[in-house]
Amino acid sequence: MNREDFPMLRNDLIYFDNGATTLKPQCVINEITNYYENYSANAHRGDYDISRKVDELYEETRDDVKDFINASRREEIIFTKGTTESMNMIIFGFMKNYLQKDDEVLITKTEHASNVLPWYTLEKEIGIKVKFIPLEDYEVTIDNVKKSINDKTKVISLAWVTNTIGDIRPIKEITKVAHDNNILMVVDGAQSVPHFKTDVLDNDIDFLAFSAHKMLGPTGVGVLYGKKDYLEQMLPLNYGGGMNSFFESDKSLEYKPLPYRLEAGTMNISGILAFRKALSYLKEIGMDKITNYEHELKDYLIKRLREIDNIEVYNENTKSGIVLFNIKNVFSEDTSQYLNHYHVCVRAGNHCAKMVKDELIIKNTCRISLYFYNTKEEIDKFIKIMKGNKDIFKVII
Amino acid sequence: MDSNLRREIIVDNYQNPTNKKAIDDKDFVTASTISDSCIDNITLFVKFKDNIIKDIYFDGEACAITTSATSIMIKKLIGKTIDEAEELMNNYYNMIDEKEYSEEELGELNAYNEIYKQPNRKKCAIFPFETLKKAIEKYKMNN
């Protein structure tokens, strides 16, 4: 749907790598230029008209993000560079002070690097213990969460949807179990917020991180959501302009209140304003409509892939728009090169979640990640190309 | 090189690679490379004696280009002195980078003479050689 709004789709291209980044609609692209052409001023400096206008638009974007994920307060929304920066702020700005030696953090082996490496680093720095919730058929079950919890468990940190297997975690139930045991819930929403309705209040999660560029927005913009009480305790990782109220030569100083305290320096203003357009674009289509359409597409893709003898699909039953597959006895990168020849973009490899190989047996796969502008016609073309895979080496060598 | 011959050399070395076996022997120097794009990874097991490459095995998971180039490299370099191996490598890199090179010396490695047309595969063609450089460095440091 809405293909005419995406300039990239005018090219001869089948874009199936939406888990990596999504294409941008014209309104988002235009807003970046609009900022630079018509009100290119810094935010929070409002002594003249265009600067005040930037301030207004910037803060209205914050309100729109708040509404998009149903947060209760605007100061709970912090703009960042992306999910990775948001996760690092949660872990080094808050958890580093909140946790003590021997406290335990639960993650899984299918997390993205940005929900693994900061924790590993904190383990080295302050002696927390990072533990893995065992998976069943690649998925997190409430039973296994309960079994993994002990007196030392202080945090559960999970992707809502994994970028590898595409399984959707029962976050509301997990959060309930976490809170019953005085455990904080951190959620990596990079692969979930773009694809289904997010409600941080209803799910009662404590921290959420996500990226604009995976939901039609520009690169270099992300969001950190945190409950106000926790954000109040978060130490900035960056100090400087925009985050202080005053500082003197006698070293006295005062930082600004939330959210500004956590947004030091000039932010990616054009990106943030363009992100607003992405949010209203998604809202206009309707997140439920997007979710349902993606399910329909995935079911169709799986059904059609079954027509081909030498294709292995690894995650038929997961509920997101992510499909992992290989051509039997062909290395995933060779398959992606073959598809590239026909201008089909898929990702090959282990998708930045390097421990997945412990769970999935097969190390490297091709990944299709769908979005609402993909179509059944594109899937038909893809299937036709895949049916010709016997000639793969004639094409790629 | 004729494209059918090129394909035949690459596919044959990919599907039936030379010396693909992990070696657990302290006489072998090991060196590994994992690609930046998180896909290919290979480990070489190299036996040196008196500056001569006596034997090479490899293990790992990699694409057709990397695997075949590793297989051909192994065939070309067993029995060569380190100096000869380095000279052959230079020659091969010259071909990959579209500089002047001697076709004669490269034999089956000429199968990659048009890899520059696919810039994203260049890294695959030099992957085994980058790994071998690490093994040679390790050997030189200890001898």
Side-chain angles (χ1 to χ4, degrees):
Chain A
M1 55 178 103
N2 294 52
R3 289 176 66 83
E4 62 286 359
D5 295 337
F6 291 81
M8 279 289 289
L9 292 174
R10 284 179 218 141
N11 302 316
D12 173 23
L13 192 74
I14 296 182
Y15 187 76
F16 280 163
D17 194 16
N18 295 290
T21 195
T22 58
L23 307 178
K24 318 303 172 199
Q26 193 68 57
C27 61
V28 168
I29 299 166
N30 287 353
E31 184 59 18
I32 292 176
T33 323
N34 187 25
Y35 166 73
Y36 287 116
E37 286 182 353
N38 296 313
Y39 40 92
S40 187
N42 212 328
H44 314 306
R45 307 279 190 277
D47 297 328
Y48 43 94
D49 287 350
I50 54 166
S51 175
R52 199 165 48 247
K53 178 164 185 188
V54 170
D55 265 2
E56 279 169 23
L57 292 170
Y58 188 95
E59 292 308 321
E60 282 167 19
T61 308
R62 199 187 306 278
D63 290 327
D64 286 357
V65 175
K66 173 185 86 80
D67 293 342
F68 196 84
I69 62 170
N70 196 32
S72 48
R73 298 180 176 92
R74 61 189 322 282
E75 61 268 33
E76 293 177 329
I77 306 298
I78 311 296
F79 289 115
T80 67
K81 279 198 302 194
T83 305
T84 299
E85 188 177 48
S86 304
M87 291 301 294
N88 276 271
M89 285 167 74
I90 295 165
I91 295 166
F92 295 110
F94 178 81
M95 296 297 177
K96 194 173 173 177
N97 305 297
Y98 176 81
L99 296 176
Q100 292 178 341
K101 189 172 182 296
D102 295 328
D103 282 348
E104 293 185 4
V105 174
L106 292 176
I107 62 172
T108 71
K109 288 185 179 172
T110 47
E111 300 308 310
H112 187 276
S114 58
N115 188 26
V116 178
L117 299 183
W119 291 119
Y120 280 7
T121 307
L122 202 60
E123 184 171 87
K124 275 193 187 158
E125 284 185 9
I126 64 168
I128 58 159
K129 297 222 161 38
V130 179
K131 296 207 163 170
F132 302 103
I133 301 167
L135 302 178
E136 258 169 55
D137 198 15
Y138 316 134
E139 303 201 5
V140 178
T141 63
I142 291 290
D143 264 1
N144 282 352
V145 172
K146 285 182 182 162
K147 280 183 207 154
S148 305
I149 290 174
N150 63 40
D151 293 348
K152 304 255 184 207
T153 313
K154 293 290 182 309
V155 182
I156 299 175
S157 187
L158 298 177
W160 203 321
V161 176
T162 57
N163 70 316
T164 44
I165 318 285
D167 54 315
I168 303 177
R169 272 81 180 264
I171 290 297
K172 190 171 177 178
E173 288 79 2
I174 297 173
T175 306
K176 171 88 174 57
V177 173
H179 289 169
D180 287 348
N181 291 277
N182 290 320
I183 294 167
L184 292 185
M185 190 71 202
V186 177
V187 177
D188 163 5
Q191 302 290 343
S192 67
V193 179
H195 301 281
F196 53 79
K197 203 178 258 172
T198 306
D199 189 327
V200 291
L201 278 187
D202 181 51
N203 286 275
D204 200 24
I205 53 188
D206 300 304
F207 291 101
L208 175 75
F210 59 101
S211 297
H213 74 95
K214 292 188 199 290
M215 48 193 295
L216 313 182
T219 53
V221 176
V223 172
L224 159 62
Y225 161 81
K227 284 182 180 164
K228 188 164 181 271
D229 288 350
Y230 299 130
L231 288 185
E232 290 289 5
Q233 298 169 52
M234 183 179 278
L235 295 179
L237 299 186
N238 294 309
Y239 294 84
M243 56 80 71
N244 70 81
S245 303
F246 71 85
F247 55 96
E248 304 292 345
S249 55
D250 66 359
K251 318 284 165 71
S252 64
L253 55 82
E254 189 178 292
Y255 298 133
K256 279 187 182 171
L258 289 175
Y260 313 108
R261 186 164 68 223
L262 297 171
E263 292 178 0
T266 296
M267 302 293 285
N268 181 353
I269 300 171
S270 65
I272 288 166
L273 303 193
F275 179 38
R276 188 179 185 207
K277 298 290 174 185
L279 290 172
S280 36
Y281 188 93
L282 289 170
K283 211 172 146 193
E284 199 166 308
I285 300 176
M287 291 309 289
D288 289 341
K289 198 171 161 190
I290 290 172
T291 312
N292 293 337
Y293 179 70
E294 279 177 22
H295 283 179
E296 197 185 316
L297 273 187
K298 175 169 177 174
D299 290 347
Y300 183 71
L301 173 58
I302 298 280
K303 190 183 113 206
R304 294 239 42 205
L305 275 170
R306 286 201 195 109
E307 292 170 17
I308 312 171
D309 291 342
N310 66 341
I311 302 282
E312 284 177 305
V313 178
Y314 301 102
N315 66 335
E316 280 196 16
N317 299 322
T318 55
K319 301 284 178 251
S320 71
I322 291 175
V323 176
L324 294 183
F325 69 96
N326 272 330
I327 302 174
K328 277 181 198 160
N329 301 318
V330 175
F331 194 63
S332 61
E333 194 188 9
D334 290 325
T335 306
S336 69
Q337 291 295 330
Y338 170 70
L339 290 168
N340 177 53
H341 180 80
Y342 299 100
H343 308 149
V344 180
C345 309
V346 304
R347 180 91 183 268
N350 56 24
H351 322 297
C352 295
K354 302 195 187 219
M355 294 181 294
V356 169
K357 57 184 182 290
D358 296 354
E359 295 289 339
L360 198 63
I361 307 162
I362 190 111
K363 277 185 196 169
N364 288 297
T365 55
C366 289
R367 180 186 73 182
I368 289 179
S369 43
L370 300 163
Y371 211 20
F372 62 84
Y373 43 67
N374 291 126
T375 62
K376 287 185 180 171
E377 289 71 31
E378 285 180 320
I379 291 173
D380 291 341
K381 278 188 199 162
F382 163 75
I383 293 293
K384 196 175 164 202
I385 294 163
M386 288 300 280
K387 282 184 173 172
N389 79 53
K390 302 273 185 299
D391 291 332
I392 183 165
F393 291 117
K394 275 192 191 153
V395 172
I396 65 170
I397 296 169
Chain B
M1 184 182 279
D2 165 67
S3 62
N4 284 327
L5 179 60
R6 169 184 297 119
R7 195 174 303 126
E8 203 178 298
I9 291 172
I10 292 176
V11 173
D12 189 42
N13 277 282
Y14 174 52
Q15 290 174 340
N16 308 291
T18 314
N19 287 1
K20 187 166 191 295
K21 189 167 89 174
I23 301 290
D24 184 14
D25 181 338
K26 62 178 172 34
D27 288 345
F28 282 75
V29 175
T30 61
S32 302
T33 308
I34 296 171
S35 72
D36 299 342
S37 50
C38 2
I39 302 179
D40 308 76
N41 76 84
I42 60 165
T43 302
L44 290 181
F45 307 88
V46 191
K47 190 176 184 179
F48 297 96
K49 199 173 179 222
D50 304 330
N51 288 321
I52 294 169
I53 297 172
K54 301 298 273 186
D55 216 348
I56 315 177
Y57 287 83
F58 82 105
D59 196 23
E61 265 201 312
C63 67
I65 300 290
T66 298
T67 306
S68 59
T70 310
S71 168
I72 298 171
M73 178 190 82
I74 288 174
K75 285 188 274 186
K76 290 291 291 181
L77 294 186
I78 291 177
K80 290 224 172 355
T81 65
I82 289 177
D83 286 347
E84 287 165 347
E86 284 176 338
E87 199 186 314
L88 186 126
M89 270 196 265
N90 282 337
N91 195 22
Y92 179 70
Y93 277 67
N94 283 343
M95 177 185 81
I96 299 290
D97 292 335
E98 297 173 79
K99 293 178 189 161
E100 254 184 57
Y101 71 101
S102 152
E103 194 180 321
E104 214 173 300
E105 282 176 32
L106 291 178
E108 280 190 329
L109 288 172
N110 282 300
Y112 309 98
N113 65 352
E114 289 190 2
I115 207 84
Y116 65 88
K117 291 181 181 168
Q118 297 170 275
N120 53 352
R121 309 303 309 262
K122 262 168 91 165
K123 62 175 174 41
C124 310
I126 62 168
F127 205 79
F129 293 89
E130 291 294 304
T131 316
L132 183 70
K133 281 182 189 172
K134 292 184 198 168
I136 291 175
E137 215 167 285
K138 265 194 190 175
Y139 172 74
K140 282 180 175 171
M141 261 173 39
N142 296 321
N143 288 278

